[in-house]
Amino acid sequence: MIVRHGKAEDIPRCLEMSENFYKVAGYDSVIPFCAESSEVYFEAAMEMGLFSVAEKGGLAGFILGLSLPFLMNKNYLVGTELAWWVEPEYRSTNIGVKLLEHIEKSAEEAGCVMWSMMCLESQAPEKMEKLYLKLGYEPRERTFTKVLKRNL
């Protein structure tokens, strides 16, 4: 297995995985998936060095995020995960952790002083919380979503 920075040629396959991520997250019942829109974020993350992929005979997963000045002190950069996906057949391996470790190192190299991760409610959040705590993450916020318009 190889974990490396994502490249432009990885984006089409990662967009396929992103659509699966999107369905699992449940957003597809509210807003249709748009690969063209997602591609913009992959390109931005790649420019920032915050797009990592795992290869195991082909792409087995990815993680991407963005960095920006911290809201409460613009003199510090922080990073946040936008999407993290490991293909189902590789979830019992260490690929997900290796992706996370790679992007943490990349974020630090990019000047971020903090990195934030999320987890999907549909994907064993208790298990993810245990993993994050084990890896040194501390809970700060929880996100709640309310749909304001239906049938767009």
Short mmCIF file of all heavy atoms in Angstrom, two decimals, residues 15-16 22 28 34 45 59 64 72 76 80 83-84 94 106 110 131 147:
data_model
loop_
_atom_site.label_atom_id
_atom_site.label_comp_id
_atom_site.label_asym_id
_atom_site.label_seq_id
_atom_site.Cartn_x
_atom_site.Cartn_y
_atom_site.Cartn_z
N LEU A 15 -13.66 11.27 -7.53
CA LEU A 15 -15.02 11.80 -7.68
C LEU A 15 -16.03 10.66 -7.63
O LEU A 15 -17.12 10.82 -7.07
CB LEU A 15 -15.15 12.60 -8.97
CG LEU A 15 -14.47 13.96 -8.96
CD1 LEU A 15 -14.48 14.58 -10.35
CD2 LEU A 15 -15.11 14.89 -7.95
N GLU A 16 -15.69 9.51 -8.19
CA GLU A 16 -16.58 8.34 -8.09
C GLU A 16 -16.75 7.93 -6.63
O GLU A 16 -17.87 7.66 -6.18
CB GLU A 16 -16.00 7.17 -8.89
CG GLU A 16 -15.98 7.36 -10.38
CD GLU A 16 -15.23 6.25 -11.10
OE1 GLU A 16 -14.94 5.20 -10.47
OE2 GLU A 16 -14.94 6.43 -12.30
N TYR A 22 -21.06 10.69 -0.56
CA TYR A 22 -22.20 11.59 -0.53
C TYR A 22 -23.49 10.84 -0.22
O TYR A 22 -24.31 11.28 0.58
CB TYR A 22 -22.28 12.31 -1.88
CG TYR A 22 -23.16 13.52 -1.89
CD1 TYR A 22 -22.77 14.68 -1.25
CD2 TYR A 22 -24.37 13.52 -2.56
CE1 TYR A 22 -23.57 15.82 -1.28
CE2 TYR A 22 -25.17 14.64 -2.60
CZ TYR A 22 -24.77 15.78 -1.95
OH TYR A 22 -25.55 16.90 -1.97
N ASP A 28 -27.61 13.22 -0.54
CA ASP A 28 -28.21 13.06 -1.87
C ASP A 28 -29.73 13.13 -1.84
O ASP A 28 -30.36 13.38 -2.86
CB ASP A 28 -27.75 11.76 -2.53
CG ASP A 28 -28.17 10.52 -1.77
OD1 ASP A 28 -28.25 10.57 -0.52
OD2 ASP A 28 -28.42 9.49 -2.42
N CYS A 34 -22.95 16.83 -7.61
CA CYS A 34 -22.44 17.49 -8.81
C CYS A 34 -20.93 17.30 -8.83
O CYS A 34 -20.20 17.96 -8.07
CB CYS A 34 -22.80 18.98 -8.80
SG CYS A 34 -22.08 19.91 -10.17
N ALA A 45 -7.80 21.62 -2.70
CA ALA A 45 -7.09 20.83 -1.69
C ALA A 45 -5.73 20.39 -2.22
O ALA A 45 -4.74 20.40 -1.48
CB ALA A 45 -7.94 19.62 -1.29
N LEU A 59 -6.73 2.98 -6.64
CA LEU A 59 -7.05 3.87 -5.53
C LEU A 59 -8.03 3.18 -4.58
O LEU A 59 -9.08 2.71 -5.00
CB LEU A 59 -7.62 5.19 -6.03
CG LEU A 59 -6.63 6.11 -6.74
CD1 LEU A 59 -7.28 7.45 -7.08
CD2 LEU A 59 -5.37 6.33 -5.93
N LEU A 64 -9.39 14.59 1.89
CA LEU A 64 -9.04 15.94 1.46
C LEU A 64 -9.61 16.95 2.43
O LEU A 64 -10.58 16.69 3.14
CB LEU A 64 -9.52 16.23 0.04
CG LEU A 64 -11.00 16.54 -0.18
CD1 LEU A 64 -11.12 17.52 -1.32
CD2 LEU A 64 -11.75 15.28 -0.52
N MET A 72 -10.91 33.13 15.02
CA MET A 72 -10.68 33.96 16.20
C MET A 72 -9.29 34.60 16.24
O MET A 72 -9.00 35.39 17.13
CB MET A 72 -10.90 33.14 17.48
CG MET A 72 -12.26 32.51 17.56
SD MET A 72 -13.59 33.71 17.37
CE MET A 72 -14.99 32.63 17.36
N TYR A 76 -3.20 32.59 12.46
CA TYR A 76 -2.97 31.15 12.54
C TYR A 76 -3.82 30.43 11.50
O TYR A 76 -5.01 30.71 11.36
CB TYR A 76 -3.32 30.64 13.95
CG TYR A 76 -2.38 31.17 15.00
CD1 TYR A 76 -2.64 32.38 15.63
CD2 TYR A 76 -1.23 30.48 15.34
CE1 TYR A 76 -1.77 32.89 16.59
CE2 TYR A 76 -0.35 30.98 16.30
CZ TYR A 76 -0.63 32.19 16.91
OH TYR A 76 0.23 32.68 17.84
N THR A 80 -9.25 21.66 7.96
CA THR A 80 -10.40 20.81 8.25
C THR A 80 -10.63 19.82 7.12
O THR A 80 -10.44 20.15 5.95
CB THR A 80 -11.67 21.64 8.51
OG1 THR A 80 -12.70 20.77 8.97
CG2 THR A 80 -12.15 22.37 7.27
N ALA A 83 -13.74 15.52 3.21
CA ALA A 83 -14.23 14.17 2.92
C ALA A 83 -13.10 13.18 3.16
O ALA A 83 -11.94 13.47 2.88
CB ALA A 83 -14.72 14.08 1.48
N TRP A 84 -13.48 12.03 3.68
CA TRP A 84 -12.53 10.94 3.95
C TRP A 84 -13.26 9.67 3.57
O TRP A 84 -14.32 9.37 4.12
CB TRP A 84 -12.17 10.97 5.42
CG TRP A 84 -11.22 9.93 5.91
CD1 TRP A 84 -10.28 9.24 5.20
CD2 TRP A 84 -11.09 9.49 7.26
NE1 TRP A 84 -9.58 8.41 6.02
CE2 TRP A 84 -10.06 8.54 7.31
CE3 TRP A 84 -11.75 9.82 8.45
CZ2 TRP A 84 -9.67 7.91 8.47
CZ3 TRP A 84 -11.37 9.18 9.60
CH2 TRP A 84 -10.34 8.25 9.62
N ASN A 94 -5.49 -0.85 7.71
CA ASN A 94 -5.03 0.40 8.32
C ASN A 94 -4.99 1.55 7.32
O ASN A 94 -4.42 2.61 7.61
CB ASN A 94 -3.65 0.20 8.95
CG ASN A 94 -2.57 -0.10 7.93
OD1 ASN A 94 -2.85 -0.43 6.77
ND2 ASN A 94 -1.32 -0.03 8.35
N SER A 106 0.80 16.58 6.22
CA SER A 106 0.70 17.56 5.13
C SER A 106 0.17 18.89 5.65
O SER A 106 0.65 19.96 5.26
CB SER A 106 -0.22 17.03 4.03
OG SER A 106 0.30 15.85 3.48
N ALA A 110 1.95 22.49 5.72
CA ALA A 110 1.30 23.64 5.08
C ALA A 110 1.11 24.81 6.05
O ALA A 110 0.58 25.85 5.68
CB ALA A 110 -0.05 23.23 4.50
N LEU A 131 -11.49 6.19 17.80
CA LEU A 131 -10.29 6.31 16.98
C LEU A 131 -9.68 7.70 17.10
O LEU A 131 -8.48 7.84 17.33
CB LEU A 131 -10.60 6.00 15.51
CG LEU A 131 -9.44 6.23 14.54
CD1 LEU A 131 -8.30 5.26 14.82
CD2 LEU A 131 -9.93 6.11 13.10
N VAL A 147 -32.67 20.65 7.17
CA VAL A 147 -33.03 20.89 5.78
C VAL A 147 -34.08 22.01 5.75
O VAL A 147 -35.12 21.91 6.41
CB VAL A 147 -33.59 19.62 5.10
CG1 VAL A 147 -34.03 19.90 3.70
CG2 VAL A 147 -32.53 18.52 5.13
#
